[in-house]
Amino acid sequence: MAGLDLSPGLLRMARERLLADPALRGLVGGRVREVVGAREEWPFLRVDPPEVGPYEAQGWRGCTCRLTVHAFLRGARGLGPVQELLAAVAAALDEADLALPRGELLWLSHERSLVLPEPLGPGSWHGVARFGAVVAETT
């Protein structure tokens, strides 16, 4: 039996969680996007479509997902502000209990984060937070 792609609901609910998180609202306002224009106001978050693989277990069928959240920040001479932003992203999503429109979120966990200098020059940063998840339905 093939897996079942339930990632669209995970993406939508993860983005909603990020938008509703008070700590993130203080850091990026409502700038949590799936698509970003060239004139986006910084700082902001971009949530990529998940990487999806099949998931099957006794009584379950669904998908594994790798969810990636990018954090973009300007005007910081050190790593502290982008690390704070990534920590807030991890706190908002790690082990989150998200009600999905279809299926059940079996787990969602923060796997790793990294920080890269953004090529726009000193003080511009690009943070990446990666999460693993399993979304499935009972069979």
Side-chain angles (χ1 to χ4, degrees):
M1 189 182 302
L4 176 65
D5 185 356
L6 299 168
S7 67
L10 174 64
L11 176 62
R12 184 169 58 253
M13 298 313 293
R15 186 171 173 268
E16 286 183 20
R17 172 63 61 96
L18 294 170
L19 280 165
D21 186 80
L24 285 169
R25 183 157 286 286
L27 295 170
V28 297
R31 293 179 302 277
V32 179
R33 312 281 192 245
E34 290 177 35
V35 177
V36 179
R39 297 176 192 219
E40 181 66 54
E41 182 182 343
W42 291 44
F44 64 90
L45 300 177
R46 187 187 79 220
V47 185
D48 285 350
E51 298 173 41
V52 179
Y55 177 81
E56 291 183 55
Q58 188 171 10
W60 295 96
R61 188 178 119 198
C63 61
T64 62
C65 300
R66 171 160 290 135
L67 186 64
T68 304
V69 180
H70 300 266
F72 294 91
L73 180 78
R74 281 186 186 152
R77 294 293 175 194
L79 291 172
V82 72
Q83 289 173 322
E84 178 185 358
L85 184 51
L86 286 173
V89 168
L93 291 180
D94 188 46
E95 298 184 11
D97 184 19
L98 304 178
L100 304 179
R102 181 176 175 196
E104 184 176 337
L105 179 60
L106 301 182
W107 59 269
L108 173 62
S109 75
H110 178 241
E111 294 178 342
R112 65 184 162 273
S113 293
L114 66 109
V115 175
L116 306 163
E118 183 64 22
L120 296 174
S124 297
W125 300 97
H126 176 188
V128 181
R130 295 227 167 111
F131 300 84
V134 172
V135 181
E137 293 180 335
T138 56
T139 56

